[in-house]
């Protein structure tokens, strides 16, 4: 286990922003993880686990220990009805999906090409093209940071919602995900309800859906290897039906997805309609083709991204009266911070 001091985080997150941390360490076993959390000399330091950094923005120097998840390993088992995958948290999610599809294990294909570690997938209940992690999850194993023992929570105990789970609430800062259990039925049905997939024929194969999703994603989303980004920067806002009716009267084309409670709007559409595609502050830019993604066009600073995100939120609020919430997790000097707090601080100074 190598410990790096004053380490650069540039290659550990997909925004590609130059930022450093006090200590960085890569862990490949639960024992190493426990050792890090128990070290007496690091007791007073903040600590955070990072997968592939594809959903974070480091807003400043991190005054603590960044723990890179390298817990590897996977086993597959089957019975007459299902396949079960037991996956250690540091496995690469997109590689896992591709390998399952290629081996003839269907069920994960809609979740192709979502960057990150398998163990990060439950944190925000990753989702795309009509399927969410919750649809394939059987259980999640986490290290409890109070008892230093591994606990298992069933899918129903995970409190999954849209970009949400128990790991953002009750188990926030009290747990590190160390493994996941996936279950997919052998009685597979293609999931093609999502707009971009609904033209596919009813006898489409899982491999065809996989290829199709990869193709759409490559067309729509910037490749973080080439242009720094963290995927959708904001969540799609869910508003009340009454608020939606008022907006619909003013903006008849507003993109909407009715939910059990309220209506979800497409934040990308709202931002796009405000004419913000391509808007740039420093080297941070609203992606010219997909307005929900903020990109680093080279040497963006965290301040550039924060100011741009603030500008986008203000414009959307002024136009539609809808508040956007960032999906990307902002990491400050000692832990998680939020855009509103940062903008308020900027105003106060
Ligand atoms: P990180 O960014 O490293 O971590 C994210 C958060 O989880 C941090 O707060 C971190 O502290 C915490 N965390 C990480 N690992 C653990 C752990 N083991 N235990 C406890 N906490 C942990 N997301 C979607 O849902 N759907 C998409 O379609 C999608 N498309 C994307 C496309 C692109 C191009 C990019 C860059 C991102 C996209 N994302 C998408 C977001 C991202 O892929 C997911 O959020 C992913 O699950 C993040 O994984 P990660 O390993 O990079 O997590
Ligand atoms: N749209 C525009 N202009 C834009 C972008 C989008 O008008 O610049 C419109 C589209 O035409 C479409 C609607 O907005 O009518 C939705 O767009 P899209 O299908 O591209 O999906 P999204 O809402 O932008 C969400 C997820 C993605 C996920 C895709 C596919 C969120 C915050 N984002 O994006 O997840 O891959 O659906 O399911 O829910 C992520 O979370 O990082 C992410 C990329």
């Amino acid at each position: 286990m190598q410990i790096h001091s004053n380490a650069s985080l540039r290659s550990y997150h997909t925004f590609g922003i130059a930022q450093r941390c006090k200590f960085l360490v890569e862990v490949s076993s639960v024992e190493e993880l426990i050792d890090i959390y128990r070290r007496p000399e690091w007791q007073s330091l903040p600590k955070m686990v990072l997968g592939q950094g594809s959903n974070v923005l480091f807003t400043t120097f991190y005054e603590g220990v960044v723990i890179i998840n390298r817990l590897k390993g996977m086993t597959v088992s089957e019975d007459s009805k299902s396949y079960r995958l037991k996956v250690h948290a540091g496995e690469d999610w997109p590689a896992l999906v591709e390998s399952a599809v290629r081996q003839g294990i269907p069920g994960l294909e809609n979740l192709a090409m979502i960057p990150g570690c398998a163990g990060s997938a439950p944190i925000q209940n990753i989702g795309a093209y009509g399927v969410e992690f919750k649809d394939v999850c059987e259980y999640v194993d986490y290290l409890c940071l109070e008892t230093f023992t591994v606990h298992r929570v069933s899918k129903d105990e995970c409190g999954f919602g849209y970009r949400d789970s128990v790991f953002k609430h009750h188990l926030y800062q009290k747990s590190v995900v160390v493994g996941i259990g996936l279950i997919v039925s052998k009685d597979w049905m293609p999931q093609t309800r999502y707009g971009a997939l609904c033209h596919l024929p009813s006898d489409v194969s899982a491999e065809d859906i996989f290829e199709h999703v990869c193709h759409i994603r490559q067309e729509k989303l910037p490749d973080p290897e080439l242009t720094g980004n963290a995927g959708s920067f904001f969540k799609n806002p869910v508003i009340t039906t009454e608020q939606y009716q008022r907006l619909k009267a003013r903006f008849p084309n507003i993109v909407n997805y009715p939910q059990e409670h309220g209506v979800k709007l497409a934040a990308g559409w709202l931002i796009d309609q405000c004419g913000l595609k391509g808007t740039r502050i420093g080297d941070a830019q609203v992606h010219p083709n997909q307005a929900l993604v903020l990109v680093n066009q080279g040497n963006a600073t965290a301040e550039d991204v924060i100011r741009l995100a603030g500008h986008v939120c203000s414009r959307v609020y002024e136009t539609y009266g809808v508040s956007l919430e960032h999906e990307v997790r902002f990491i400050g000097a000692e832990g998680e911070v939020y855009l509103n707090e940062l903008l308020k601080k900027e105003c106060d100074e």
Side-chain angles (χ1 to χ4, degrees), residues 49-55 115-117 120 124 126-127 163 177 217 231:
V49 173
L50 201 60
Q52 295 179 11
S54 64
N55 208 31
C117 288
S120 313
Q124 72 159 11
I126 57 168
R163 299 296 187 267
V177 173
R217 294 185 69 100

Side-chain angles (χ1 to χ4, degrees), residues 172-208:
Y172 181 59
Q173 293 183 332
K174 294 185 192 137
S175 60
V176 176
V177 173
V178 294
I180 57 172
L182 305 177
I183 181 164
V184 290
S185 169
K186 287 188 171 177
D187 188 14
W188 174 78
M189 295 278 284
Q191 299 301 326
T192 54
R193 280 159 298 144
Y194 197 84
L197 303 181
C198 65
H199 66 282
L200 293 174
S202 57
D203 62 347
V204 66
S205 70
E207 208 158 357
D208 285 346

Side-chain angles (χ1 to χ4, degrees), residues 9 21 23 25 33 36-37 45-51 53 56 58 62 64-69 173 176 329-332 334-336:
L9 289 163
C21 62
F23 296 108
V25 52
L33 197 52
I36 300 293
Y37 276 93
L45 291 182
K47 298 174 194 72
M48 69 167 292
V49 173
L50 201 60
V56 291
F58 287 98
Y62 182 68
V65 188
V66 172
I67 304 163
I68 309 288
N69 166 10
Q173 293 183 332
V176 176
R329 312 285 292 269
F330 285 29
I331 313 296
E334 302 201 323
E336 189 154 13

Side-chain angles (χ1 to χ4, degrees), residues 27 142 147 252 281 322 342:
V27 298
Y142 69 91
T147 60
I281 294 185
V322 172
L342 295 173

